[in-house]
Amino acid sequence: MISRLPVRQTYFLSFLFIFSVNINEIQAQEVYLPGYVVTLKGDTLIGNVSDRKMGPFGGIFTKIKFKGNGRKKRYSADNIQSYRKGDSIYRSFNLDGEDRFLRLEVEGVVSLYKFELQEQGEGMVMDIAYLKKRDNPTLVRADQGLLGLKRNLLIQFFSDCPPLADKIRSKEFKFPYQVVNFYNEWKAR
């Protein structure tokens, strides 16, 4: 003979089952990768670095986490010069009055950096491109999202390279890395 559970117990058991199955998906995972931190004094600390949690409740940290030589420490962008996590290098810069970490994409006479932005609760990370000339401390925003390059600003920024200014003006280049690669190759001649 089959015994039937009361409706309340059935709902409760169903809820427990669903919750237990999805518990791993709900928890965000923190990923530490081999890397290093460069302090403001220029010392390099080698260890493991985490700068974000993965998953639906994850996100990019404002302070990175560092584990090395038996110590755990958090660093914000105003406490260190740079850090490396896995294959990615991040450097500290002041953006609009706030110290932030920017990911290095291309290094050269002019370097391309990306500021990673993630809305809370969103899984997608947006990148905002910035350019910096080696001999100039100023960062210049290179793109305006889906609207493409900030052409007028980049024409001024690269006024020392007329061929590049012409290519930007004629919309031959659509991405910041194209501009950076052309300029670095032109300067190397």
Side-chain angles (χ1 to χ4, degrees), residues 106-111 179-189:
V106 178
E107 189 166 34
V109 178
V110 68
S111 296
V179 173
V180 169
N181 290 341
F182 183 91
Y183 186 79
N184 287 336
E185 288 172 15
W186 183 79
K187 281 298 227 182
R189 293 180 192 167

Side-chain angles (χ1 to χ4, degrees), residues 19 22-30 53-58:
F19 185 73
N22 290 325
I23 192 75
N24 290 334
E25 292 178 23
I26 292 173
Q27 294 174 343
Q29 294 181 351
E30 207 169 316
K53 274 189 180 180
M54 306 307 284
F57 297 109

Side-chain angles (χ1 to χ4, degrees), residues 11-29:
Y11 286 134
F12 179 73
L13 289 174
S14 297
F15 173 76
L16 279 179
F17 176 74
I18 290 169
F19 185 73
S20 68
V21 168
N22 290 325
I23 192 75
N24 290 334
E25 292 178 23
I26 292 173
Q27 294 174 343
Q29 294 181 351

Side-chain angles (χ1 to χ4, degrees), residues 116-129:
E116 298 174 327
L117 181 63
Q118 185 175 21
E119 297 293 329
Q120 189 165 352
E122 291 288 323
M124 186 173 74
V125 176
M126 296 182 299
D127 290 333
I128 301 171

